[in-house]
């Protein structure tokens, strides 16, 4: 726990820390500033400034303040100071810190903010007249030089406030720091101007990230007596179990050091675990079935020597390249076998643990949706960006506490890959849950495949799949013209890369003829199938029914 107890994540409202990717002119300013810093400052100063501009760290978030008098965390988010108020920031290392940068908001003039050492009546080492702001503002002040670690007390008075309940100022974070470097260098004023403009900028893409605490902000990690976080025992340092290999020489006692230990060649567990998971993705079941537990309590590997061999190659020959490892497995004679199985072999080895045949497993929820989008020629190639809301029936997704609604995405966004589907733990996307996707309300180290009627109901009746079937039917019409038999043949070939068997073709032709006969009697069903009153073509509607059936073929839903 100590390895991860020193990340800069304190569940702030703004999701600090954020990685900033500056855009437009601000990205140019950053490059200009980086060039000036590299030429006029030390590498340590360069890294310190760039780290703050890119991550906003290390700062002290207002949510950690305590010992409050007539002050509070406004809406549990920001420090709110009222008239004659005070609070404390614990254990601040003030050595070599000559400036304080802070983010605040105030709607009233006349506020006097003071910083005291060690107690609210202690020596004042900074006094600030807080001016009204337009929203949030970042300010920098000089502070008196101080040595050592101290509790910093904040006090606030404002004669303009009529009652003690009125808010005078709110604070988001505090940054005790050294001044901007290079004050005696040419171009300092311009560089410092760029620095402050970038701090105030909102022209960036923000991504929540993990950042390590600096040494002066390390948290203390304690043993929890009998597992209760309220009963703290001895303080502990980051470390690894003594029964396993030691930390590599020179590895730091942080998350980087832990990563070095995990991928050390003296620790084959990481490589074996990764090989086992990749094998499971290809074969449907791992060499050791219990992906989540490869220890003595899990199921033993069926082919231990194979697992060890691939793990060794993964670390040494492939240098941790997943692509190279996957290539080795899929090009093996074991993987390239046919999936066909005789009754005798099925009786002897129903789960294919002896690998006498190729794997045959049902696709995942995401794969089923994505390949249906792809064959229908509507799959969006857009990468990255926000989550989207494809079609789902009304009334499933409700947020009584916020009033938010599921608003179906438009255009190609509704056809983006399944990984971009908006996910709410209390109301997950229903068709994916039917195919064993993770609910995400608890950790799921392994998906276990099931077969239920809900799966057939989803792919046969879900409007999203009917919409894909409509586009697939249109694609088949473009590929083969008006010849129905040719449409089905070419559509099947595009789906499965093999010719359709005569028996299947006859069955699908029979489905087409039956549907066409039914649709020719009236237009309401045709309109419902095609989703349009215009061009209510019974022939196209019948082909949509066939396309929907093809998207439900056993060989389409299963990898073999």
């Amino acid at each position: 726990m100590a390895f991860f107890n020193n990340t800069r994540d304190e569940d702030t409202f703004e999701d600090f820390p954020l990685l900033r990717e500056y855009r437009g002119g601000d990205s140019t300013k950053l490059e200009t500033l980086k060039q000036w810093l590299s030429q006029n400052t030390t590498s340590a100063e360069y890294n310190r400034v760039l780290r703050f501009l890119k991550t906003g760290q290390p700062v002290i978030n207002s949510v950690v303040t305590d010992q409050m008098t007539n002050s509070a965390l406004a809406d549990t988010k920001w420090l709110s100071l009222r008239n004659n108020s005070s609070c404390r920031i614990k254990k601040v290392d003030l050595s070599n810190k000559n400036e304080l940068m802070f983010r605040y908001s105030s709607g009233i003039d006349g506020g006097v903010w003071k910083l005291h050492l060690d107690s609210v009546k202690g020596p004042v080492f900074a006094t600030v007249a807080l001016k009204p702001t337009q929203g949030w503002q970042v300010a920098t002040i000089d502070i008196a030089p101080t040595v050592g670690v101290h509790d910093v007390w904040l006090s606030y008075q404002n004669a303009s406030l009529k009652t003690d309940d009125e808010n005078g100022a709110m604070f988001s974070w505090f940054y005790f720091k050294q001044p901007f470097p290079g004050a005696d260098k040419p171009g300092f004023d311009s560089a410092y101007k760029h620095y402050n403009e970038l701090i105030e900028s909102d022209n960036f893409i923000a991504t929540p990230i993990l950042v390590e605490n600096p040494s002066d902000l390390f948290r203390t990690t304690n043993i929890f007596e009998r597992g209760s976080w309220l009963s703290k025992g001895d303080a502990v340092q980051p470390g690894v179990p003594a029964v396993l290999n030691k930390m590599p020489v020179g590895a730091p006692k942080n998350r980087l050091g832990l990563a070095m230990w995990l991928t050390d060649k003296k620790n084959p567990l990481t490589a074996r675990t990764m090989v086992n998971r990749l094998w499971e993705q290809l074969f449907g079941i791992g060499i050791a079935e219990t992906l989540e537990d490869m220890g003595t309590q899990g199921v033993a590997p069926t082919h231990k020597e194979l697992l060890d061999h691939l793990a060794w190659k993964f670390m040494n020959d492939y240098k941790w390249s997943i692509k190279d490892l996957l290539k080795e497995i899929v090009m093996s004679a074991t993987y390239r076998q046919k999936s066909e199985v005789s009754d005798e072999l099925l009786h002897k080895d129903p789960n294919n643990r002896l690998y006498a045949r190729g794997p045959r497993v049902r696709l995942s929820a995401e794969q089923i949706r994505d390949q249906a989008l792809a064959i229908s020629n509507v799959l969006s190639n857009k990468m990255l960006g926000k989550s989207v809301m494809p079609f789902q029936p009304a009334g499933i997704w409700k947020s009584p506490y916020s009033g938010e609604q599921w608003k179906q995405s438009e255009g190609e966004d509704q056809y983006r890959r399944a990984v971009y589907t908006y996910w709410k733990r209390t109301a997950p996307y229903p068709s994916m849950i039917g195919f064993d996707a993770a609910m995400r309300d608890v950790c799921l180290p392994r998906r276990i495949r099931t077969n239920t009627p809900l799966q057939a109901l989803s792919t046969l009746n879900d409007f999203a799949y009917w919409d894909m079937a409509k586009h697939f039917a249109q694609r088949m019409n473009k590929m083969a013209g008006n010849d129905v038999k040719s449409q089905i043949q070419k559509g099947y070939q595009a789906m499965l890369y093999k010719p359709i068997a005569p028996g299947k073709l006859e069955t699908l032709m029979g489905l087409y003829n039956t549907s066409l006969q039914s649709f020719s009697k009236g237009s309401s069903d045709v309109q419902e199938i095609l989703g349009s009153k215009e061009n209510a073509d019974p022939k196209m509607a019948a082909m949509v029914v066939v396309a929907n059936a093809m998207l439900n073929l056993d060989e389409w839903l299963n990898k073999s």
Side-chain angles (χ1 to χ4, degrees), residues 180-238:
F180 186 79
D184 57 342
K185 304 293 183 180
F188 170 82
D189 290 343
S190 178
Y192 190 45
K193 181 173 180 288
H194 283 342
Y195 173 73
N196 285 298
E197 288 173 346
L198 288 171
I199 290 172
E200 292 278 13
S201 170
D202 58 4
N203 187 25
F204 57 82
I205 299 173
T207 305
I209 56 171
L210 286 176
V211 174
E212 193 82 11
N213 265 324
S215 57
D216 60 316
L217 291 176
F218 271 13
R219 301 186 187 98
T220 300
T221 301
N222 299 86
I223 295 290
F224 293 160
E225 299 291 351
R226 299 180 65 83
S228 171
W229 64 274
L230 293 173
S231 302
K232 294 181 179 180
D234 296 337
V236 294
Q237 299 298 317

Side-chain angles (χ1 to χ4, degrees), residues 133-186:
T133 66
Q134 297 292 325
W136 289 104
Q137 179 177 314
V138 177
T140 303
I141 60 170
D142 295 328
I143 58 176
T146 308
V147 177
V149 177
H150 298 267
D151 287 349
V152 174
W153 287 78
L154 315 177
S155 67
Y156 179 82
Q157 290 83 32
N158 192 331
S160 301
L161 296 174
K162 304 304 181 183
T163 69
D164 286 345
D165 295 330
E166 293 181 73
N167 176 58
M170 289 197 301
F171 295 82
S172 175
W173 49 257
F174 312 93
Y175 181 25
F176 295 90
K177 69 184 191 72
Q178 300 169 1
F180 186 79
D184 57 342
K185 304 293 183 180

